[in-house]
Amino acid sequence: KAGVTQTPRYLIKTRGQQVTLSCSPISGHRSVSWYQQTPGQGLQFLFEYFSETQRNKGNFPGRFSGRQFSNSRSEMNVSTLELGDSALYLCASSAGRYNEQFFGPGTRLTVL
Amino acid sequence: AQKVTQAQTEISVVEKEDVTLDCVYETRDTTYYLFWYKQPPSGELVFLIRRNSFDEQNEISGRYSWNFQKSTSSFNFTITASQVVDSAVYFCALSEGGNAGNMLTFGGGTRLMVKP
């Protein structure tokens, strides 16, 4: 089985712009979660989608949003980028609730 | 609120030494799940183990073993006869039952350096 894939792998944006990141889960997995990793804050949960519905949301501003499509692929969007949004964004998929999550390679976003 | 603490930020050992990575968690739920992940320099998080709160049995997988103790809220990870390829950052994580679903709360991670 193919693993979780994320595109693009690297992105450079400037402040004020918006960005969309994409994640394709492992085939058959319906849950997709997103995490932000920074040196200062570590790994933080952004949100989780299951069957096209947001099931959980972390403590991030409304500039961070996401969605999930009927094929379980997910996108996350960050609007009005700030320097502090520079991070590694990781997507994870899971077969069900409370199961182990499998992570993709991440998208490294740099905001200048 | 749930919390995971990995007090060791960095550990350095020489190859073939045994090393234990500590993890202490806090949660009010009686049903919860604990995980360990490995993050090599490539950046991708690799799943190692999942434990639920009702299963306190220790687990061994090759050179890896895990000690889960509810009495001390700890879920420690031991690598026996460490190898250079074990060098990575290791994360302990917790998810609670109920509506928390797949939301993982991670510890700060322990960077393990294994020197030849």
Side-chain angles (χ1 to χ4, degrees), chain B residues 5-61:
Chain B
T5 302
Q6 295 179 254
Q8 306 148 309
T9 54
E10 204 166 289
I11 300 175
S12 181
V13 300
V14 176
E15 209 170 18
K16 296 184 184 174
E17 280 186 33
D18 298 347
V19 58
T20 295
L21 310 182
D22 298 332
C23 172
V24 173
Y25 62 91
E26 294 175 32
T27 176
R28 292 181 203 168
D29 274 16
T30 55
T31 301
Y32 52 90
Y33 304 84
L34 296 164
F35 303 82
W36 275 95
Y37 284 88
K38 173 183 180 179
Q39 187 174 42
S42 61
E44 188 167 337
L45 281 166
V46 177
F47 167 76
L48 295 176
I49 191 171
R50 168 186 176 274
R51 259 286 177 265
N52 73 53
S53 54
F54 299 109
D55 184 1
E56 277 196 81
Q57 275 191 338
N58 291 332
E59 176 138 348
I60 299 175
S61 176

Side-chain angles (χ1 to χ4, degrees), chain A:
Chain A
K1 259 187 186 178
V4 177
T5 58
Q6 292 186 246
T7 56
R9 294 292 311 279
Y10 301 92
L11 264 179
I12 299 176
K13 292 285 187 179
T14 55
R15 276 181 301 175
Q17 287 187 309
Q18 77 165 22
V19 66
T20 299
L21 313 182
S22 181
C23 171
S24 291
I26 290 171
S27 177
H29 285 189
R30 294 166 63 192
S31 166
V32 173
S33 298
W34 290 89
Y35 294 83
Q36 181 197 63
Q37 185 176 26
T38 60
Q41 299 299 316
L43 278 157
Q44 293 185 286
F45 172 79
L46 279 156
F47 28 65
E48 179 202 1
Y49 286 87
F50 182 83
S51 292
E52 302 178 65
T53 302
Q54 188 180 85
R55 189 155 69 176
N56 280 296
K57 189 177 192 307
N59 190 22
F60 278 82
R63 300 185 296 107
F64 291 82
S65 63
R67 59 178 176 167
Q68 186 180 34
F69 302 95
S70 58
N71 62 358
S72 294
R73 191 177 70 84
S74 177
E75 289 181 347
M76 69 163 278
N77 184 278
V78 188
S79 62
T80 319
L81 284 167
E82 300 177 359
L83 295 179
D85 297 333
S86 294
L88 180 66
Y89 289 89
L90 293 161
C91 166
S93 78
S94 175
R97 212 168 222 184
Y98 316 126
N99 285 17
E100 55 270 27
Q101 296 179 47
F102 296 94
F103 284 79
T107 295
R108 185 163 296 282
L109 171 65
T110 302
V111 182
L112 302 176

